[in-house]
Amino acid sequence: MERLRQDDPVRIGDFVVLARLDADGSRGVPERRYLARSADGGRTVLVCLPPAGGDPARWATEAQQAVRLVQPGFWPVAQVGGSPAFPWYSSPYRPVLPLPAVLAAYGGPLPEALVRTVGGTLAEALASAHVLGVVHGGVCPAGVLLTACGPLLGCFGATRATAVAGDAPVPATVLETGCLAPELAAGGPADRAGDVYALGAVLAYAATGQTVPERQEIPVGLREIVTACRSRDPEGRPEPARVLAELLPGAAYGALTASVEPVSLPGRVVEALSRQSAEVLAAALPSPER
């Protein structure tokens, strides 16, 4: 858990803020994310606000769309509230680390086996969304949330393909993290190929600590699929189902995102998840006056 700053909210809707999820100086965070508890102490949640300087109305619209994105592999949005100027959404709390925090806890780039598990699970989630005509539009390292049972894609940025056929803006988070496909940078709409490009950036980040590494910096076993995902030609990028097959040959489609079994995580990452859980359980509700 990260300490609150003076400019952080004390309450969000019915919830009292306990701590921030993201550390100071975290880049590319798609929204302001807080660990919070209901005033009666009965519910602990992850509650999110628009990013500072973002468009609250646009963010609120995407949060409403994310409520309907209920298939496995996505971080669930359970409640949307607030006002047009101060929208928020909440999700039931579970111990979770954004991908940059995972690398920080581990002490550097992740082992290739874990990168394959994370990438394969995210590819499966995107494949299931794309079948439904849903484009995520905001895949980035900070939007990947790792739990004991594997990664989930944060829903912020999720837009229906039919809604982005025109000139819908690309979420600002991808502009800062090297996840923006060239055609989107040129003004094109968010689409499935753009999601795959961003997935390649997430794989690169997990394996090297950078979203735009040099080709030789990428582990040999991941080099071809990461390079294919990050092709400048959208037509040259693989479909998410192929990314899954390349990363985890023989994996049964649908088994990863639906799994409720713990995945194999490095001890330091497990320790960080356990420490967060213990701190949340022990946290007392702060005074409303700070």
Side-chain angles (χ1 to χ4, degrees):
M1 298 204 314
E2 302 296 331
R3 291 185 178 182
L4 295 171
R5 300 178 301 220
Q6 286 298 315
D7 59 347
D8 286 322
V10 176
R11 296 183 70 101
I12 302 174
D14 297 329
F15 303 105
V16 180
V17 175
L18 302 174
R20 289 183 293 118
L21 180 65
D22 299 288
D24 276 331
S26 297
R27 294 191 58 188
V29 179
E31 51 209 339
R32 289 175 287 164
R33 304 186 286 203
Y34 298 94
L35 302 173
R37 186 169 292 146
S38 58
D40 64 5
R43 286 191 297 152
T44 302
V45 298
L46 177 65
V47 61
C48 303
L49 301 174
D55 180 351
R58 171 71 180 175
W59 186 90
T61 297
E62 292 181 344
Q64 290 285 357
Q65 293 171 337
V67 172
R68 298 189 289 272
L69 195 58
V70 296
Q71 65 261 47
F74 288 85
W75 186 266
V77 175
Q79 181 181 3
V80 176
S83 65
F86 191 79
W88 54 267
Y89 74 78
S90 69
S91 305
Y93 170 73
R94 70 185 82 177
V96 60
L97 293 173
L99 190 56
V102 175
L103 268 68
Y106 183 68
L110 302 179
E112 183 174 327
L114 181 55
V115 175
R116 288 177 175 275
T117 297
V118 169
T121 305
L122 299 179
E124 186 176 278
L126 287 175
S128 67
H130 291 176
V131 165
L132 298 178
V134 176
V135 174
H136 187 281
V139 177
C140 63
V144 175
L145 301 172
L146 185 68
T147 73
C149 295
L152 298 171
L153 269 173
C155 287
F156 178 82
T159 49
R160 294 199 176 278
T162 54
V164 296
D167 58 352
V170 175
T173 176
V174 297
L175 298 174
E176 301 176 7
T177 58
C179 297
L180 185 64
E183 68 274 11
L184 274 63
D191 61 7
R192 294 189 295 272
D195 277 351
V196 174
Y197 186 94
L199 175 60
V202 168
L203 286 168
Y205 178 84
T208 70
Q210 307 171 67
T211 53
V212 192
E214 297 295 331
R215 178 179 166 85
Q216 62 270 21
E217 295 177 294
I218 303 170
V220 173
L222 299 169
R223 193 171 294 166
E224 293 302 322
I225 191 61
V226 170
T227 301
C229 288
R230 293 183 57 80
S231 170
R232 295 189 63 83
D233 177 12
E235 298 295 328
R237 296 173 202 151
E239 292 291 330
R242 184 191 142 203
V243 178
L244 168 60
E246 292 283 345
L247 292 173
L248 297 171
Y253 183 79
L256 294 171
T257 54
S259 176
V260 295
E261 297 296 323
V263 299
S264 179
L265 297 174
R268 282 169 284 183
V269 176
V270 174
E271 180 184 358
L273 287 167
S274 300
R275 183 169 58 250
Q276 183 194 93
S277 179
E279 290 174 352
V280 167
L281 286 172
L285 291 176
S287 168
E289 295 184 4
R290 288 199 269 124

